[in-house]
Amino acid sequence: MKKVKKVDTWHLWAVVLFIGAGVSGRTLRERAQGHWQAGRREEAIQVYTEAIEAYQKEGDQGGAAYCYYGRGTARRSSGKNQEADVDFRESAQIFRRAIAAAPDPGRARRLENEYANVLYGLGEAAKRAGDIPEARRIAQERLDIYRKFEDPGGQAVSEDSLGELDLAEGRYAEAKARFEASYNYYKVAGNPYGIKAARERAEKAALLAQEGPASAARAREDLKLLRERVSRFYSEFGRFPATLEELEGVGAAISDPGVAEHRPARGRGVFPGFEASSEKERAVRDSGNWGYDPSSGLVFIDCRHPSADGRPYYAW
């Protein structure tokens, strides 16, 4: 009689469980990070979505929170700001729950460090919405986390964020102090790029403290005058000028806006369809000079920097 080979049931069940388990959240997260690093944003968004679902099935709150943040970052870089903001808020909420439920201090610290990264995205969302007080609260919360862990690099970046918000509110002396603090933290962290950038920001804040309000007032008046000239050109010729140089051709002298944040300004730009665009922030080139939309006759200041009223110059 032929002998029947005994089946190894343990290995059989292992194979069944492996097939049914699917790809782990960690594996999908690493794949999404690979897509992101390679510049494949849409693929990163898709795989981060799969990773979120996997982590949720595994009951790993921290992993899901991190992937919400990663997906939000990829969406923001693709111009999907509203979707990105939703991801950042969801990530922050999950991180708070995960930190509170962390089984040990080491795990809590790792989660808080990642949570601090999410706060950066939330702060940027608040700035885009013009909610400077909320952006300041978030930046301060981030700074407090980095102070608790004595992280000089994190403290430097947080001081930078608070300094930029001070600039947005016209608090130039306070901004200068923030940038100087950032400079010192970058020195401790040994970050030469950060040291140089913080020093330049502190110098700019000092300049703005001396002449920022006056230069902004002049720029606003020049913008008003230039828009009036475009309107008169339309009344006379029945069309908008193709470029601002065409205005100069009929006798209108045009000087640069002269905002203190751009000394000197780069060349003027033509931005067809800018007024109707829903993504003005992405279209702005930040030259510090005049921007012009010939399809609508809109003149604006091509600058992303916040003005004294909290809005970027291009939104005036």
Side-chain angles (χ1 to χ4, degrees):
M1 187 175 188
K2 189 175 180 181
K3 189 175 181 180
V4 178
K5 188 176 180 181
K6 187 177 181 181
V7 177
D8 188 338
T9 55
W10 188 91
H11 281 93
L12 180 60
W13 276 110
V15 170
V16 171
L17 289 172
F18 177 80
I19 293 171
V23 182
S24 70
R26 182 183 180 85
T27 298
L28 289 167
R29 168 176 162 175
E30 290 172 352
R31 287 181 189 173
Q33 288 171 328
H35 285 308
W36 168 249
Q37 290 166 1
R40 297 187 292 268
R41 297 169 184 166
E42 292 304 319
E43 289 88 343
I45 291 169
Q46 176 59 40
V47 180
Y48 270 127
T49 301
E50 295 171 9
I52 289 168
E53 294 173 356
Y55 273 128
Q56 287 172 337
K57 289 178 181 177
E58 295 165 14
D60 186 339
Q61 293 186 80
Y66 182 92
C67 290
Y68 271 112
Y69 170 67
R71 188 174 71 178
T73 302
R75 282 174 163 170
R76 185 179 62 190
S77 71
S78 301
K80 301 173 181 178
N81 288 330
Q82 291 183 341
E83 293 172 273
D85 294 348
V86 171
D87 278 342
F88 291 143
R89 285 192 290 271
E90 184 67 22
S91 177
Q93 290 174 5
I94 298 174
F95 265 126
R96 292 185 192 111
R97 293 196 297 269
I99 291 166
D104 59 77
R107 175 64 172 165
R109 174 167 182 164
R110 290 193 295 274
L111 289 169
E112 276 197 273
N113 274 325
E114 293 180 350
Y115 172 60
N117 290 329
V118 177
L119 289 176
Y120 176 80
L122 285 177
E124 290 299 299
K127 283 171 62 177
R128 282 195 298 274
D131 191 346
I132 300 301
E134 176 63 6
R136 183 181 296 281
R137 185 199 66 75
I138 292 169
Q140 186 62 54
E141 182 182 1
R142 193 167 180 240
L143 177 58
D144 291 342
I145 291 172
Y146 288 129
R147 278 178 176 165
K148 180 168 68 173
F149 297 132
E150 298 181 347
D151 180 343
Q155 290 178 84
V157 174
S158 300
E159 291 283 10
D160 273 343
S161 296
L162 287 163
E164 291 292 344
L165 294 170
D166 284 328
L167 287 182
E169 295 182 317
R171 297 151 52 99
Y172 302 123
E174 292 87 343
K176 179 174 178 289
R178 290 287 188 185
F179 294 138
E180 287 172 345
S182 175
Y183 171 83
N184 291 327
Y185 284 127
Y186 277 128
K187 286 181 69 175
V188 174
N191 183 332
Y193 172 79
I195 291 169
K196 179 176 181 293
R199 182 173 59 244
E200 291 173 351
R201 292 188 187 105
E203 291 170 353
K204 180 172 285 188
L207 173 66
L208 287 169
Q210 294 177 354
E211 58 179 80
S215 69
R218 287 194 301 271
R220 191 182 288 274
E221 286 300 314
D222 288 347
L223 176 62
K224 179 181 177 183
L225 178 62
L226 195 48
R227 285 173 172 172
E228 289 173 353
R229 287 173 173 169
V230 170
S231 180
R232 286 200 298 269
F233 185 100
Y234 185 86
S235 296
E236 184 174 349
F237 297 101
R239 63 176 179 84
F240 294 117
T243 63
L244 294 181
E245 285 72 18
E246 191 173 2
L247 277 182
E248 292 180 308
V250 294
I254 301 174
S255 58
D256 293 347
V259 293
E261 288 85 349
H262 290 276
R263 299 289 177 82
R266 301 197 303 273
R268 299 172 193 161
V270 177
F271 298 74
F274 180 84
E275 185 173 27
S277 173
S278 60
E279 294 288 345
K280 291 184 172 63
E281 183 179 5
R282 295 188 69 197
V284 168
R285 299 167 194 164
D286 205 35
S287 68
N289 213 320
W290 300 115
Y292 176 62
D293 177 2
S295 59
S296 65
L298 175 69
V299 181
F300 61 96
I301 298 175
D302 179 27
C303 175
R304 290 194 183 93
H305 288 85
S307 62
D309 65 8
R311 294 182 301 159
Y313 282 98
Y314 73 79
W316 276 5

